[in-house]
Amino acid sequence: MSRGHLVKEDIRTSRLLKQISKIAKSPVLEASAMPPQVYHSEDFFKLEKEQLFARDWICVGREDNTRAPGDFLTWKLGDQPIFAIRGEDSTLRAFSNVCLHRMMPLLEGTGNSKTIVCPYHAWTYGNDGSLRNAPLIEKKVQAHLKRKRLPRIRLEIWKGWIYVTLNKDAKSVASQLEKLEPVVSPYQMENYVSVVHRDYTWQTNWKLLVENFMEGYHLPVVHNKTVGRWFPSKKTKFPRQRCNSFTYQTFIKDETALYGGAHKKNKKLRGIQRHTSIMPTIFPSHMYVLAPDHLWYLTLNPINLGEVKIRFGLSLAPEVNQSLKNNSSFVSDMDDFFEKVNAEDKKIVEALFESTSSLLAAPGPLSWLEREIHDFIVYLSKRLNRRTFEGSNQ
Ligand code: FES
Ligand SMILES: [Fe+2]
């Protein structure tokens, strides 16, 4: 790439950052959506990988999906492949997913593996990250290799969620989510039981999906045959204060809603709370709906500018899960229902990726129901501005 091209890219990116900062500084009710180029600039995406995905805490799934020793899942933090694996001592640890020989990726997808064998020349690792065997390597070198381990990645569990980060200086997840804790704690989501989890790949920019998930404005329109039917927009509430690491909204589901009300054996929640759902977004890319009876979530792993891997899951409140003995189709019916919701969103966010690349695409004003999009823009503006980022360790 020529020097001239690089300079042009830098100018374009800094112009986009300025535009975003301007939106971030404007009052919520006067703010507009982001300029369309933020979804289509390779340089902007590179910056996001470096400053967001390689620096912030990233959710990679629910802890109860990795219960047995050897259970593992893989992910990418920016350009760094990683895996989390349950050790023989029941501790969940995360490591670089790159072999210490000639740097082949070690594990793929999710699964269970007592030992990790590199698919290239069969170097073998324990699930504590230690190198156990390097066949046909000179004896003297072998002795030195015995002490080798895969580089460890920071991993923390918060209320059943697994978070990982490459940032050694990041404050703990618990301290970053301190103000969210009292909001979600009455639901005791750490006890929710995972019943569905799977990965998809959608053809869109990851930010279009975050923005789509976090606003209820589209629900009565896009989801009028599914979740939108039970969504009284006027009962949506947002926190008064803005937080650096997350945002959320609460909404009250209609009493006729198929899902979203507390089970009769739920003694934790009272009054209106029995129909209230909380919808947090943990920046940059972890989103969930926490309802009295269930939890559904998406966490995103951008593959490239127009492609995103989505880890999707459904969990049930323990009393709902226990009551299922006589209703074996409950989970598959619920799964079908949320698959429909996902399909409705997929159609929208993939279409948006196309239309935002058009010549005449221009952003319009946000509704009060899109307040969290403004929170997201504030987050992006802070994090993508390197000087601001360097002044913060959150
Ligand atoms: S690259 Fe892993 S064993 Fe050679
Ligand atoms: Fe949606």
Side-chain angles (χ1 to χ4, degrees):
M1 206 176 281
S2 72
R3 197 176 138 70
H5 178 85
L6 288 174
V7 171
K8 254 190 217 161
E9 275 297 317
D10 272 357
I11 293 171
R12 269 189 220 131
T13 303
S14 68
R15 198 179 293 148
L16 281 176
L17 288 174
K18 271 187 199 145
Q19 284 174 272
I20 288 176
S21 297
K22 198 173 162 202
I23 302 170
K25 280 178 197 143
S26 62
V28 183
L29 297 179
E30 291 166 30
S32 76
M34 288 196 281
Q37 295 83 359
V38 299
Y39 309 109
H40 298 277
S41 156
E42 286 290 353
D43 214 44
F44 199 82
F45 180 56
K46 190 167 165 261
L47 194 63
E48 290 169 347
K49 282 196 289 182
E50 288 166 4
Q51 301 295 348
L52 312 180
F53 290 93
R55 302 265 192 138
D56 276 347
W57 286 103
I58 304 296
C59 177
V60 294
R62 294 285 293 168
E63 193 193 10
D64 68 344
N65 289 323
T66 55
R67 253 181 252 156
D71 279 355
F72 72 85
L73 52 85
T74 58
W75 204 255
K76 252 187 173 187
L77 298 175
D79 289 327
Q80 172 64 53
I82 64 124
F83 65 93
I85 192 162
R86 181 79 59 185
E88 297 307 313
D89 59 354
S90 292
T91 304
L92 190 65
R93 300 178 181 87
F95 300 99
S96 161
N97 191 14
V98 179
C99 182
L100 298 174
H101 178 223
R102 278 177 43 218
M103 298 163 280
M104 180 74 187
L106 293 164
L107 291 170
E108 252 183 67
T110 56
N112 183 283
S113 190
K114 292 277 179 280
T115 52
I116 300 148
V117 182
C118 177
Y120 201 2
H121 312 95
W123 282 29
T124 304
Y125 303 84
N127 52 26
D128 59 353
S130 60
L131 178 62
R132 299 271 169 89
N133 189 26
L136 304 175
I137 294 282
E138 216 266 324
K139 262 196 185 153
K140 256 193 227 162
V141 182
Q142 285 270 9
H144 168 69
L145 284 178
K146 264 188 189 160
R147 293 189 294 274
K148 288 272 185 189
R149 285 176 172 273
L150 293 167
R152 186 97 178 251
I153 309 288
R154 281 183 77 189
L155 179 151
E156 290 185 9
I157 307 287
W158 190 79
K159 297 195 180 295
W161 299 109
I162 308 166
Y163 289 96
V164 289
T165 184
L166 295 177
N167 185 354
K168 291 190 177 71
D169 300 323
K171 283 186 185 168
S172 70
V173 176
S175 73
Q176 294 200 23
L177 302 184
E178 199 181 357
K179 289 190 176 143
L180 184 61
E181 208 275 339
V183 181
V184 296
S185 67
Y187 293 73
Q188 299 178 10
M189 73 174 147
E190 58 277 23
N191 298 328
Y192 280 37
V193 183
S194 176
V195 289
V196 172
H197 66 109
R198 66 173 71 92
D199 292 352
Y200 309 106
T201 303
W202 290 4
Q203 305 304 313
T204 191
N205 182 267
W206 70 276
K207 296 187 295 304
L208 290 166
L209 186 43
V210 173
E211 292 176 313
N212 177 70
F213 191 93
M214 71 199 322
E215 55 92 347
Y217 196 28
H218 75 284
L219 290 186
V221 186
V222 176
H223 303 297
N224 60 354
K225 293 193 178 68
T226 55
V227 281
R229 279 183 292 159
W230 316 313
F231 183 73
S233 315
K234 290 191 179 124
K235 292 186 181 165
T236 302
K237 286 191 181 144
F238 303 98
R240 267 207 219 134
Q241 275 185 332
R242 183 169 269 151
C243 295
N244 284 338
S245 309
F246 68 91
T247 182
Y248 68 91
Q249 61 174 275
T250 61
F251 52 88
I252 298 162
K253 283 241 183 104
D254 194 310
E255 300 216 356
T256 61
L258 197 53
Y259 307 111
H263 189 273
K264 59 180 187 298
K265 288 193 177 158
N266 180 330
K267 306 289 179 213
K268 307 178 291 265
L269 302 171
R270 304 197 178 280
I272 199 67
Q273 237 182 355
R274 296 181 71 79
H275 295 278
T276 301
S277 295
I278 302 161
M279 198 168 88
T281 297
I282 315 302
F283 299 134
S285 56
H286 177 211
M287 299 151 278
Y288 57 93
V289 175
L290 173 60
D293 59 338
H294 75 279
L295 169 67
W296 71 284
Y297 67 89
L298 303 179
T299 185
L300 311 183
N301 189 165
I303 297 168
N304 56 48
L305 196 54
E307 193 168 32
V308 57
K309 185 169 103 176
I310 301 158
R311 186 153 289 163
F312 156 76
L314 288 172
S315 299
L316 297 178
E319 60 279 2
V320 177
N321 192 48
Q322 277 156 18
S323 71
L324 289 187
K325 283 170 206 139
N326 305 324
N327 189 357
S328 56
S329 67
F330 183 88
V331 171
S332 58
D333 290 349
M334 191 179 191
D335 190 15
D336 289 348
F337 179 83
F338 283 100
E339 277 298 304
K340 277 188 202 135
V341 178
N342 283 337
E344 289 162 349
D345 282 324
K346 179 176 191 278
K347 200 172 157 193
I348 293 290
V349 296
E350 292 193 340
L352 279 172
F353 186 62
E354 299 245 328
S355 55
T356 49
S357 71
S358 64
L359 194 64
L360 300 178
L366 297 176
S367 151
W368 66 272
L369 269 172
E370 295 170 300
R371 134 84 197 259
E372 287 174 90
I373 292 186
H374 191 250
D375 294 342
F376 184 48
I377 296 170
V378 171
Y379 160 81
L380 290 174
S381 161
K382 281 186 182 170
R383 285 293 201 270
L384 296 177
N385 178 320
R386 288 161 216 241
R387 274 167 304 171
T388 308
F389 180 83
E390 279 155 15
S392 158
N393 63 355
Q394 284 199 10

